[in-house]
Amino acid sequence: MNFPILSSLILLPIVGALFLFFTKDKNGNILTAKYVALFTTIVNFLISIYLWISFDQSTSSFQFIEDRTWIEGLINYKVGIDGISILFIILTTFITPLCIISVNNSVKNRLRDFLIAILIMESFMIGVFCALDLVVFYLFFEAGLIPMFLIIGIWGGARRVYSAFKFFLYTLLGSVLMLVAIISIYWITGTTDVVKLYEIGIDVKYQNLLWLAFFSSFAVKTPMWPVHTWLPDAHVEAPTAGSVLLAAILLKMAGYGFIRFSLGLFPVASETFTPLIYVLSVIAIIFTSLIALMQEDMKKLIAYSSVAHMGFVTLGIFTLQQQGIEGSIIQMISHGLVSAALFLTVGVVYDRMHSRLISTYGGLVSVIPKYSILFMIFALASLGLPGTSGFIGEFLILMGAFKDNFLVAVVASLGVILGAAYMLWLYKRVVFGKLINEDLKKIVDLNRSEYFILSCLAAPILFYGFYPDPLINTIEVSVTDLIDMHKTNLASK
Amino acid sequence: MELSIIFLPLIASIISGFFGRYIGDRNSEIVTSALVSISALLSVHVLYQVIVNQYEENIVIATWINSGSLNVNWSMLIDPLSAVMLVVVTSVSSLVHIYSIGYMSHDPHKPRFMAYLSLFTFAMLMLVTSDNFIQLFFGWEGVGLCSYFLIGFWFKKESANAAAIKAFVVNRVGDFGFALGIFLIFYLFGTVNYSEVFQQIPTIVDKNLSFLGFEVKAIDLICILLFIGAMGKSAQILLHTWLPDAMEGPTPVSALIHAATMVTAGVFLVVRCSPIYEYSPLILNFITIVGMTTAFFAATVALVQTDIKKIIAYSTCSQLGYMFFAAGVGAYNVAMFHLFTHAFFKALLFLGSGSVIHAFKDEQNINNMGGVWKKLPYTYALMIIGTLALTGFPFLSGFYSKDAIIEFAYLKGNTTGYYAAGVGIITAFLTSIYSWRLIFKTFHGEYNNKNIKIEETHESPLVMLLPLFILSIGAVFAGFLFKGLFIGHGDNFFWADSIKFLNPLSTEHPPLWFLLLTPCLVLLSIPIAYYLFVRNKDLPNDIALMNKPLYNFLLNKWYFDELYEVLFIKSSKKIGLFLWKFCDGTIIDGFGPDGISSFIKKCSIKATKFQSGFIYQYAFIMLLGFSAFLTFLIVK
């Protein structure tokens, strides 16, 4: 048997977390903990890059499969990746080290425990993206809640407890239904192995209910309108690194779930419920963009813009067009980078001024020009300017949507106008204008590590904006086959 | 070599933007100006090759997006149309670069400014040389972005920031239509490459689509959607509101972006898509009407404005209207001809007004100027040339192109055509009046400025006058020299396949009285304007007082801004607030998490009351329960 590369990817951060337990958490020793965590995550990133290089792009079947019996005759620990999941794994392993570097500026107390939470979360999230067994997926999917809950609840802001519980309540409510659905799938088909389920299919008469159960969980995590209200609160209260992980990766689990499970397992139901998804997505895009326009808190604004962007993602997935699904995946990757970057940029000024209110700022460009330039790049990527990765995603999604339904595409395109409005208005109020607040005059520009983090995020945003081929090539075959499979499934039933 | 035309400005922008701090202001200025000038010389060479050798080329630089059947390349298409645009863009751009060295000499952020100008040039070149709609869209948004940066260049000015955002967002409204047009093209043809799309157009001429509940012809739909994009970029009526505000930017920017190049992108789009538009007479008529209305509307507003740059901005708006109605009557080559000549004389006027503003130390109100023509002799002379060219004074460039538009409208021979020709003539007269008003109020009469003395006004330095001088040569001779090439009927049709005519353009000539009408009106307008604005200055004021409502209507630009403020900005803010506070806050949270948790809390508070600790209460409850249970058993 080959080297279990996926399991090592999943386990390595946990091993790192164990090591962290044995570092002393006293003043002066904080750096040790940080270096251990950083080292672990960077190694993990390198492994995932190796994975990408050795990944065979010409086939859509799962690769690097590991299949071990966990509970005899019931559950197998089965992991494997295809072109869709590998990108999310790399996104995870790429964002996590950046989070860890950013941490020393924002988290003051119990740094070691914070790092442990982040590492464990990385494990779980990688697990989600390579799980090929429904039970394994469910476990990773739900376990990811716990570290996030702690990150918000312990290291959060003033209303952290309220936000943490709101976050937990919402997400758990949806998940319970998914668990029920998974158990029923086992009863119906006798297996929870995703690959086998793809082959045998699930009886049409059960599909609608099962789809709804999965949907309730994914919709909350995406988040889709109207179950999105936990997100702004969670983001506002979470520390910067927490917001980054939440926006960049946690939200993507649901989009990934829609592609892997909703489309793959329940083709007929997916077709039936497409109008529902369209309506909710379009509402999310328009409503939350309008709400974002009126926000006074920078983090809340970005959180609401995330809801709008994820609206594009769900819209694209259910167009069931090549361009739509590929656009959604690229949009998710792009949003992972852009929203991470935007939360970090807010974090930078928050660390210095301890305010997230837009009205505190204004005229920053004359005191911190480097920061302003990078912020501009991220703002532009967020509003989908051609030449940034945001454009490729949005444009492909809308193109796919247009093929499927004119009305939806037209209304969703309006979101692009609103996106420009709220993002540029935010930027103008924070960065341009006269420097009125006296305290801002003493503000210092990006330090070396902040500069490094933000540049690391800006580089792929621009690179994939001009040359998205590496991304598209990776997912192309998998998406094509997914659509083909979906069509044959539909035709046969 | 062709590629260096595009990439030299990009390199210039990168050098000046990222390394400007290290190489210094002067070096950034020299590097950017030099590289863009080289690019201009190469463009002229390419145009020469195109004219003489019928040179055409489609260079693929790299792949961009490959998703399923969607294949998009970074590419460079050289044909007569793009070659003309290359020359217009790079030559005006290089002159503006040079001019800016003088104009921005007191500004602390020169490298940044030069970097934006060069970046804009790059984006504009990407736009005009694209061989597919998506790269066109890239350039389209790219120039919009640079325009945003440059309008808001003086970032401390609140009005400049507001204008920058307005420009970007209004353009996005246009881009919304444009993007939908691209989606529709991809939906119908499965490709976004010009040549492949244009080839397939005849196959869908009779195809109908049901769009948002309406049954429409597919071709009309494509045309109208693309035209919405063009309306945004070229500031046509309804989407024009950003252009006058864009004058908040430095004057060289107005000359380059808001007169000569970016705003003409819409016209370029329509001309580029002539193989599509030719099949949609309905939308061509619509374009004629929009163009004509804009030309007239903008000219009326320009009559009463007092800001020197806003007058010229409205004049640009009006001239763009002319270009559109030329395209609308099917005379695409004439539209391009006017675009070509307009670039010279309008850039000249803008840069000239910049020179005036410079002389008056940032005064822009023409009521606060006057009587300085002896102090600024060169600027005065060059502005006169620009004005003569703009108004269509015989044998200057505007005369050839603008009159040709009116003639072709007349020759079209249908109602819209005659109507357009009529409005065109009236607008030409108005154009002449407001242009001379500007000249007379700025340079003649008494000196009216209280802030600086007339002795302190000064002629601009050579580095600013030289570009003006070169542009004035273009303004004088461009029409005469290129008339035959652009709108001639010779055997060697210059535009080759880049412009498509379904029916060949009429080669007749309109009657002589018609040909003479416009020049006569233009000539007549000079003494009228002189009388009104120099001799008898009270008369215009009296007229304004007599027609107060009309005057206010014009002064407030037909109240478009106020209307949009109420209709879109305020209402979307209100809706946003409502959705946030009420929908999200009261309804979703109120009945969702908060509601549920408070409900559970209430229930549990009720439940805890049972555990009071008094035995008699427990006993009573037990008794109750027991008797209820018994009753249930018995009844059953």
Side-chain angles (χ1 to χ4, degrees):
Chain A
M1 189 168 172
N2 291 331
F3 182 72
I5 187 167
L6 288 179
S7 295
S8 15
L9 263 180
I10 298 173
L11 284 177
L12 193 65
I14 291 190
V15 174
L18 278 178
F19 269 100
L20 278 183
F21 258 119
F22 298 112
T23 58
K24 280 183 196 154
D25 190 12
K26 277 185 192 157
N27 294 343
N29 266 336
I30 287 176
L31 277 183
T32 331
K34 207 181 148 188
Y35 285 141
V36 171
L38 195 58
F39 178 74
T40 322
T41 48
I42 288 177
V43 170
N44 227 19
F45 175 61
L46 295 177
I47 296 177
S48 66
I49 290 293
Y50 169 76
L51 194 69
W52 197 10
I53 293 168
S54 49
F55 178 81
D56 179 5
Q57 294 184 348
S58 59
T59 169
S60 71
S61 51
F62 289 96
Q63 302 175 35
F64 306 103
I65 291 185
E66 291 167 39
D67 197 351
R68 289 193 182 77
T69 312
W70 184 6
I71 300 171
E72 191 68 46
L74 194 65
I75 308 167
N76 282 1
Y77 167 80
K78 185 170 183 180
V79 290
I81 52 167
D82 66 352
I84 298 168
S85 35
I86 187 163
L87 289 183
F88 292 101
I89 293 175
I90 291 167
L91 180 69
T92 314
T93 57
F94 176 68
I95 296 288
T96 320
L98 295 181
C99 276
I100 289 173
I101 301 175
S102 81
V103 154
N104 64 340
N105 308 321
S106 44
V107 176
K108 293 283 186 281
N109 59 334
R110 301 178 67 183
L111 180 77
R112 188 190 65 168
D113 302 345
F114 187 75
L115 293 173
I116 291 175
I118 288 187
L119 284 180
I120 292 180
M121 196 143 114
E122 183 183 15
S123 278
F124 291 157
M125 288 182 297
I126 296 174
V128 166
F129 295 126
C130 44
L132 284 184
D133 188 283
L134 287 175
V135 179
V136 177
F137 171 78
Y138 180 78
L139 288 176
F140 281 128
F141 193 77
E142 293 314 312
L145 280 182
I146 300 164
M148 197 64 226
F149 176 71
L150 294 176
I151 287 175
I152 298 174
I154 298 176
W155 290 277
R159 270 158 51 93
R160 57 179 181 264
V161 179
Y162 169 76
S163 300
F165 275 101
K166 198 171 179 182
F167 166 69
F168 209 73
L169 208 73
Y170 257 122
T171 40
L172 205 67
L173 217 67
S175 323
V176 171
L177 291 171
M178 184 162 80
L179 182 63
V180 174
I182 292 175
I183 296 171
S184 10
I185 289 178
Y186 181 72
W187 278 8
I188 297 164
T189 61
T191 180
T192 52
D193 183 329
V194 176
V195 183
K196 273 189 203 152
L197 284 171
Y198 277 173
E199 281 163 17
I200 55 182
I202 293 172
D203 202 332
V204 182
K205 63 185 171 192
Y206 303 114
Q207 280 195 13
N208 283 354
L209 276 179
L210 292 174
W211 188 93
L212 281 174
F214 273 80
F215 168 76
S216 66
S217 174
F218 294 151
V220 169
K221 278 248 171 71
T222 306
M224 294 179 78
W225 192 88
V227 284
H228 63 282
T229 58
W230 61 271
L231 188 76
D233 282 317
H235 270 310
V236 167
E237 298 307 324
T240 304
S243 288
V244 171
L245 284 180
L246 181 60
I249 307 164
L250 227 62
L251 302 187
K252 309 300 173 296
M253 302 197 305
Y256 172 76
F258 273 127
I259 298 176
R260 174 73 74 232
F261 302 110
S262 299
L263 290 188
L265 297 178
F266 320 117
V268 180
S270 297
E271 202 75 10
T272 319
F273 287 111
T274 298
L276 172 73
I277 295 271
Y278 278 178
V279 170
L280 293 184
S281 305
V282 168
I283 291 179
I285 293 168
I286 301 298
F287 280 21
T288 50
S289 296
L290 284 168
I291 294 175
L293 204 57
M294 294 311 295
Q295 294 306 306
E296 289 133 18
D297 180 316
M298 291 196 266
K299 266 187 147 182
K300 255 194 175 160
L301 193 152
I302 299 165
Y304 272 112
S305 83
S306 287
V307 180
H309 284 129
M310 294 311 284
F312 278 107
V313 170
T314 46
L315 173 64
I317 291 172
F318 283 85
T319 56
L320 278 167
Q321 302 286 338
Q322 185 97 21
Q323 285 81 26
I325 297 182
E326 285 181 6
S328 290
I329 295 169
I330 292 174
Q331 171 83 340
M332 280 194 267
I333 302 293
S334 159
H335 177 255
L337 299 169
V338 175
S339 64
L342 283 171
F343 280 119
L344 282 165
T345 40
V346 174
V348 167
V349 286
Y350 180 74
D351 287 343
R352 290 160 173 67
M353 301 294 298
H354 303 286
S355 166
R356 291 183 308 259
L357 289 181
I358 295 171
S359 52
T360 315
Y361 301 96
L364 285 181
V365 66
S366 46
V367 273
I368 46 175
K370 268 192 218 165
Y371 172 84
S372 309
I373 293 171
L374 283 162
F375 190 4
M376 178 48 98
I377 293 175
F378 303 134
L380 294 175
S382 171
L383 62 84
L385 192 87
T388 64
S389 55
F391 167 74
I392 310 278
E394 244 170 43
F395 206 74
L396 286 177
I397 289 170
L398 291 173
M399 220 164 204
F402 198 89
K403 272 180 164 181
D404 201 50
N405 189 322
F406 287 171
L407 180 65
V408 166
V410 172
V411 182
S413 302
L414 286 173
V416 177
I417 303 173
L418 293 171
Y422 65 70
M423 219 56 222
L424 290 180
W425 199 33
L426 166 74
Y427 190 81
K428 179 207 128 186
R429 285 178 293 171
V430 173
V431 175
F432 289 146
K434 279 207 186 77
L435 193 75
I436 294 166
N437 189 341
E438 281 296 317
D439 299 338
L440 286 176
K441 287 194 176 143
K442 292 192 289 283
I443 200 166
V444 283
D445 210 339
L446 301 175
N447 61 32
R448 208 181 290 166
S449 72
E450 289 163 342
Y451 193 55
F452 172 76
I453 300 170
L454 294 179
S455 317
C456 277
L457 288 165
I461 290 172
L462 293 176
F463 178 78
Y464 292 126
F466 284 95
Y467 192 66
D469 250 20
L471 298 181
I472 298 182
N473 284 341
T474 311
I475 56 179
E476 178 99 12
V477 180
S478 297
V479 172
T480 316
D481 280 20
L482 180 78
I483 293 170
D484 288 347
M485 186 178 85
H486 183 87
K487 283 191 182 135
T488 46
N489 277 341
L490 271 186
S492 67
K493 271 156 194 171
Chain B
M1 182 200 80
E2 288 80 6
L3 290 183
S4 49
I5 297 177
I6 297 184
F7 287 105
L8 282 177
L10 179 66
I11 294 168
S13 162
I14 291 171
I15 293 177
S16 178
F18 288 102
F19 306 106
R21 268 179 305 160
Y22 309 113
I23 61 172
D25 290 356
R26 184 41 50 96
N27 284 333
S28 322
E29 286 164 357
I30 292 173
V31 167
T32 47
S33 307
L35 289 179
V36 176
S37 304
I38 295 172
S39 167
L41 292 177
L42 292 174
S43 310
V44 171
H45 176 72
V46 167
L47 180 64
Y48 179 77
Q49 291 294 326
V50 170
I51 295 172
V52 176
N53 299 331
Q54 280 84 40
Y55 169 71
E56 286 196 24
E57 175 108 50
N58 191 354
I59 308 165
V60 173
I61 304 169
T63 61
W64 184 18
I65 307 174
N66 263 317
S67 168
S69 52
L70 176 70
N71 295 302
V72 183
N73 291 325
W74 293 111
S75 56
M76 183 174 182
L77 173 70
I78 296 176
D79 64 355
L81 189 56
S82 59
V84 169
M85 288 305 285
L86 277 181
V87 170
V88 170
V89 173
T90 52
S91 56
V92 176
S93 174
S94 55
L95 294 175
V96 167
H97 270 82
I98 295 167
Y99 178 89
S100 302
I101 298 176
Y103 191 82
M104 301 299 281
S105 56
H106 303 300
D107 198 278
H109 301 288
K110 292 184 207 80
R112 188 161 65 93
F113 184 75
M114 300 310 270
Y116 287 159
L117 281 185
S118 302
L119 186 67
F120 167 80
T121 312
F122 165 72
M124 190 71 202
L125 293 175
M126 288 302 269
L127 191 162
V128 297
T129 60
S130 166
D131 76 347
N132 61 68
F133 285 99
I134 298 192
Q135 185 187 326
L136 178 72
F137 192 73
F138 167 85
W140 196 264
E141 293 255 292
V143 291
L145 174 73
C146 296
S147 151
Y148 165 80
F149 283 146
L150 284 164
I151 296 169
F153 182 75
W154 287 315
F155 53 83
K156 285 183 183 162
K157 259 165 85 182
E158 199 56 39
S159 55
N161 286 321
I165 293 188
K166 185 172 175 184
F168 197 88
V169 174
V170 174
N171 265 301
R172 268 267 159 137
V173 177
D175 295 354
F176 157 77
F178 187 16
L180 288 176
I182 297 175
F183 299 152
L184 184 61
I185 285 172
F186 181 65
Y187 168 77
L188 288 170
F189 307 113
T191 173
V192 288
N193 273 37
Y194 294 152
S195 55
E196 293 164 27
V197 171
F198 295 159
Q199 244 171 21
Q200 294 181 50
I201 287 291
T203 61
I204 61 131
V205 170
D206 299 318
K207 192 172 167 131
N208 280 327
L209 283 176
S210 110
F211 186 80
L212 310 185
F214 297 98
E215 190 75 14
V216 283
K217 279 174 83 175
I219 194 111
D220 289 345
L221 195 57
I222 296 179
C223 290
I224 188 80
L225 287 172
L226 292 181
F227 183 61
I228 291 173
M231 281 172 75
K233 196 79 12 190
S234 294
Q236 292 302 288
I237 194 159
L238 298 181
L239 293 179
H240 66 280
T241 55
W242 64 272
L243 185 61
D245 289 25
M247 297 302 125
E248 290 291 341
T251 309
V253 173
S254 315
L256 176 62
I257 300 185
H258 306 121
T261 56
M262 184 183 87
V263 287
T264 60
V267 181
F268 169 76
L269 174 70
V270 173
V271 175
R272 173 58 89 197
C273 295
S274 57
I276 309 179
Y277 279 97
E278 273 299 275
Y279 290 96
S280 176
L282 179 72
I283 303 304
L284 279 181
N285 273 336
F286 179 70
I287 293 178
T288 314
I289 291 167
V290 168
M292 184 176 83
T293 317
T294 311
F296 177 72
F297 149 76
T300 58
V301 175
L303 278 178
V304 299
Q305 297 302 309
T306 53
D307 183 316
I308 184 167
K309 283 179 74 183
K310 285 211 167 144
I311 297 172
I312 307 179
Y314 274 106
S315 159
T316 306
C317 210
S318 169
Q319 298 302 309
L320 290 165
Y322 271 107
M323 294 175 211
F324 274 113
F325 89 61
V329 296
Y332 306 100
N333 52 348
V334 184
M336 281 308 289
F337 187 40
H338 196 52
L339 188 160
F340 183 73
T341 57
H342 174 256
F344 292 107
F345 58 70
K346 194 49 72 64
L348 173 62
L349 280 173
F350 260 123
L351 293 182
S353 76
S355 179
V356 173
I357 294 168
H358 201 69
F360 279 94
K361 298 214 164 47
D362 299 329
E363 176 61 65
Q364 301 198 4
N365 192 329
I366 52 170
N367 287 331
N368 298 336
M369 298 175 180
V372 289
W373 65 277
K374 277 184 189 153
K375 291 289 294 178
L376 314 170
Y378 298 111
T379 307
Y380 174 63
L382 294 165
M383 286 282 278
I384 293 273
I385 293 175
T387 303
L388 289 172
L390 166 67
T391 53
F393 193 81
F395 312 116
L396 268 69
S397 58
F399 167 74
Y400 292 101
S401 56
K402 194 196 289 179
D403 285 14
I405 291 175
I406 298 170
E407 284 163 30
F408 273 103
Y410 177 84
L411 289 175
K412 181 83 176 169
N414 59 11
T415 330
T416 347
Y418 289 132
Y419 195 43
V423 175
I425 292 169
I426 296 170
T427 309
F429 179 69
L430 292 178
T431 307
S432 194
I433 296 278
Y434 70 68
S435 303
W436 287 108
R437 169 175 175 260
L438 186 149
I439 292 288
F440 291 137
K441 284 206 145 198
T442 311
F443 293 103
H444 292 268
E446 299 104 50
Y447 185 78
N448 278 327
N449 198 305
K450 294 181 185 71
N451 296 325
I452 54 171
K453 295 198 186 88
I454 187 162
E455 290 78 26
E456 288 172 22
T457 59
H458 58 87
E459 185 59 277
S460 298
L462 183 67
V463 71
M464 285 166 72
L465 289 177
L466 187 70
L468 284 179
F469 186 69
I470 298 174
L471 284 171
S472 71
I473 296 175
V476 175
F477 296 110
F480 173 70
L481 289 178
F482 289 91
K483 180 178 188 292
L485 189 69
F486 278 50
I487 56 174
H489 315 293
D491 296 331
N492 288 332
F493 186 55
F494 165 64
W495 297 103
D497 295 329
S498 61
I499 293 179
K500 177 162 179 156
F501 297 101
L502 216 50
N503 308 308
L505 278 179
S506 166
T507 51
E508 290 164 32
H509 287 283
L512 191 65
W513 65 266
F514 187 83
L515 285 177
L516 290 177
L517 187 58
T518 328
C520 289
L521 279 174
V522 166
L523 288 176
L524 197 65
S525 69
I526 304 176
I528 295 178
Y530 185 73
Y531 180 74
L532 281 176
F533 302 112
V534 180
R535 270 301 168 79
N536 195 348
K537 281 190 187 166
D538 298 330
L539 189 60
N541 294 336
D542 292 344
I543 297 173
L545 277 177
M546 267 156 57
N547 303 297
K548 199 77 185 164
L550 178 69
Y551 178 72
N552 279 337
F553 182 67
L554 295 181
L555 194 65
N556 289 302
K557 310 145 201 162
W558 293 26
Y559 293 104
F560 271 108
D561 280 322
E562 286 74 10
L563 185 71
Y564 287 173
E565 175 79 25
V566 175
L567 219 56
F568 299 114
I569 300 168
K570 285 207 175 127
S571 63
S572 52
K573 282 184 177 173
K574 265 190 195 145
I575 295 171
L577 208 60
F578 169 80
L579 288 173
W580 175 30
K581 295 285 185 197
F582 185 73
C583 286
D584 270 22
T586 314
I587 296 192
I588 298 178
D589 274 356
F591 290 98
D594 295 354
I596 292 172
S597 60
S598 69
F599 175 73
I600 292 174
K601 208 171 175 181
K602 265 182 209 152
C603 290
S604 52
I605 287 171
K606 291 261 162 64
T608 51
K609 288 202 174 131
F610 285 110
Q611 304 193 2
S612 55
F614 299 110
I615 294 202
Y616 62 87
Q617 281 185 359
Y618 292 167
F620 178 64
I621 301 277
M622 274 168 73
L623 191 67
L624 267 183
F626 185 65
S627 45
F629 183 60
L630 265 184
T631 325
F632 177 70
L633 280 184
I634 293 164
V635 171
K636 197 185 171 194

